[in-house]
Amino acid sequence: MTSMNHNATSKTNNLSEKGAGDTVIVTGASGSIGAEVVKSLLQKNFSVIMACRDLEKGNTVRNEILKEFKGKENVVSLEKLDMSSFSSIRQFVDKISNKNIQLYGLMNNAGTINRGFQLTNDGVEETIAVNYLGIVLLTEVLLPMLDNGARITNVISMTTNPKRITKDMFEYSPKKYRQLRNYGQSKTALLLYTAMLSEKTKGKIHVNAADPGIVDTNILKLDRWFDPLADLLFRPLVKSPGKGAIPLVNALLAEETGKIFLGNSFKSISGDYVKHPLRDWFLENSLKHSHQAAEETK
Ligand SMILES: NC(=O)c1ccc[n+]([C@@H]2O[C@H](COP(=O)([O-])OP(=O)(O)OC[C@H]3O[C@@H](n4cnc5c(N)ncnc54)[C@H](OP(=O)(O)O)[C@@H]3O)[C@@H](O)[C@H]2O)c1
């Protein structure tokens, strides 16, 4: 089911439309699109917390950004956040909440596309952990810190398909693991969660999804035999990370909620998600496998 596209730029460039806080958390800020999102937010005078799993890499990227944004050292901080670990997510949120930061929003940008099956220490398949269940936990524990007008943006991809939500999606086995299928399932889950969270928080928080399109970044390298072929065919056609960041920033600044941002426009999340037959089961189990699981192991 498709929805009409709307132009995103008219409403989304104005800093005066900001909500209560002025700080944005960007996960995966050490990556190509994440770093561009950080730059764009600095240009718009936000403060940014770069949330990275690898502090050394994060620091190198931060230093590179600061070469372009001299004098902004005090408004770009770096924090450790490993989205594949429930305890790392909890530690990150504890640290943020102790700092009395006024949050404007959360950019759930970190993502992975694992070549092989791998379980995290929490017993979750890693792609689902990083791209979905970790995001549910991070978002749910941050919600009380988000005031009226705050924003959440979840980064999805064109691999979403409502049929990927199945009742065995939280049962993991190497046998049924497929790199692209699991990635698509994790992004589909994130889109369904976006639809449900935007309904739940309507009138308070703006929750949107954003698809960067096909962007020339490391994530396109699938560690497969066809990488050189894909490089040859697709890389010259794909967007730059700067262009890929545009719909993410548009989504974060938007007055809308429950939309998908792509390029310079946006559309409603389709009824296939909003009225998904497994939605209640899905939400209950998403919370059980992330938020509640993390609560129990605290
Ligand atoms: N590129 C595309 O064509 C495309 C298309 C659709 C959607 N996307 C989405 O766009 C987002 C950004 O990806 P990208 O293209 O910019 O790729 P990228 O350059 O590889 O960036 C991915 C980022 O996610 C971080 N990350 C991976 N696993 C993590 C973990 N366990 N904990 C915390 N951070 C973790 C990476 O950290 P390190 O720097 O430490 O590796 C990196 O900062 C992802 O959600 C991706 O799925 C990309």
Side-chain angles (χ1 to χ4, degrees):
M1 197 184 297
T2 51
S3 325
M4 198 173 29
N5 279 17
H6 303 271
N7 194 293
T9 48
S10 54
K11 281 189 174 181
T12 52
N13 290 331
N14 194 344
L15 189 63
S16 67
E17 288 179 4
K18 287 195 331 175
D22 67 353
T23 301
V24 180
I25 297 169
V26 180
T27 71
S30 54
S32 302
I33 298 174
E36 293 298 326
V37 168
V38 174
K39 289 185 203 169
S40 176
L41 293 173
L42 291 178
Q43 247 153 16
K44 295 176 193 319
N45 287 330
F46 285 96
S47 300
V48 179
I49 298 171
M50 296 175 62
C52 301
R53 64 172 164 179
D54 177 344
L55 286 181
E56 205 178 317
K57 183 176 176 193
N59 201 33
T60 306
V61 174
R62 179 177 178 270
N63 288 339
E64 280 303 310
I65 292 172
L66 284 172
K67 281 184 196 163
E68 271 180 58
F69 290 88
K70 294 206 164 66
K72 291 260 185 188
E73 290 76 6
N74 292 339
V75 295
V76 200
S77 59
L78 178 65
E79 295 291 349
K80 171 92 179 164
L81 175 62
D82 181 349
M83 292 298 291
S84 70
S85 157
F86 291 161
S87 67
S88 173
I89 294 169
R90 286 227 161 261
Q91 280 165 22
F92 170 79
V93 175
D94 284 349
K95 215 165 167 192
I96 299 297
S97 52
N98 285 334
K99 286 189 175 169
N100 200 21
I101 288 164
Q102 298 289 301
L103 282 179
Y104 173 78
L106 167 65
M107 174 68 72
N108 283 314
N109 163 74
T112 191
I113 182 163
N114 281 4
R115 170 75 182 95
F117 178 84
Q118 210 168 321
L119 282 182
T120 67
N121 288 340
D122 302 303
V124 179
E125 187 282 307
E126 194 171 68
T127 313
I128 296 288
V130 175
N131 297 359
Y132 181 55
L133 287 177
I135 294 177
V136 174
L137 173 61
L138 178 64
T139 305
E140 296 286 329
V141 289
L142 277 174
L143 274 179
M145 287 177 64
L146 296 175
D147 287 331
N148 279 354
R151 317 293 164 102
I152 296 172
T153 297
N154 293 326
V155 180
I156 57 157
S157 83
M158 62 168 60
T159 57
T160 52
N161 178 342
K163 290 190 182 135
R164 293 193 197 274
I165 303 295
T166 52
K167 279 210 167 176
D168 65 350
M169 64 177 287
F170 300 115
E171 293 158 20
Y172 316 111
S173 87
K175 229 176 168 184
K176 68 173 193 172
Y177 183 80
R178 300 283 177 280
Q179 184 178 26
L180 288 172
R181 196 190 66 92
N182 271 57
Y183 178 75
Q185 188 177 54
S186 68
K187 295 293 186 183
T188 303
L190 188 55
L191 182 54
L192 182 51
Y193 177 65
T194 306
M196 297 183 80
L197 186 64
S198 68
E199 279 173 22
K200 184 180 138 190
T201 60
K202 203 165 191 156
K204 189 177 178 232
I205 297 172
H206 307 258
V207 185
N208 291 297
D211 178 352
I214 303 178
V215 183
D216 190 1
T217 72
N218 277 342
I219 218 166
L220 281 190
K221 198 174 160 294
L222 300 176
D223 297 328
R224 301 282 286 269
W225 62 268
F226 51 73
D227 275 350
L229 195 62
D231 263 4
L232 202 67
L233 294 175
F234 295 122
R235 285 218 185 234
L237 303 175
V238 298
K239 295 182 191 172
S240 67
K243 278 219 164 120
I246 291 172
L248 280 60
V249 175
N250 284 345
L252 191 82
L253 302 186
E255 286 301 304
E256 282 74 20
T257 194
K259 308 288 184 205
I260 302 175
F261 285 72
L262 175 65
N264 270 319
S265 62
F266 64 87
K267 61 183 181 180
S268 296
I269 299 177
S270 97
D272 295 342
Y273 288 90
V274 178
K275 296 178 186 155
H276 198 285
L278 292 180
R279 51 177 280 154
D280 294 337
W281 170 89
F282 169 79
L283 188 60
E284 189 189 324
N285 279 277
S286 298
L287 295 174
K288 189 171 111 191
H289 288 278
S290 58
H291 189 38
Q292 286 162 16
E295 283 288 324
E296 282 157 20
T297 53
K298 251 205 298 190

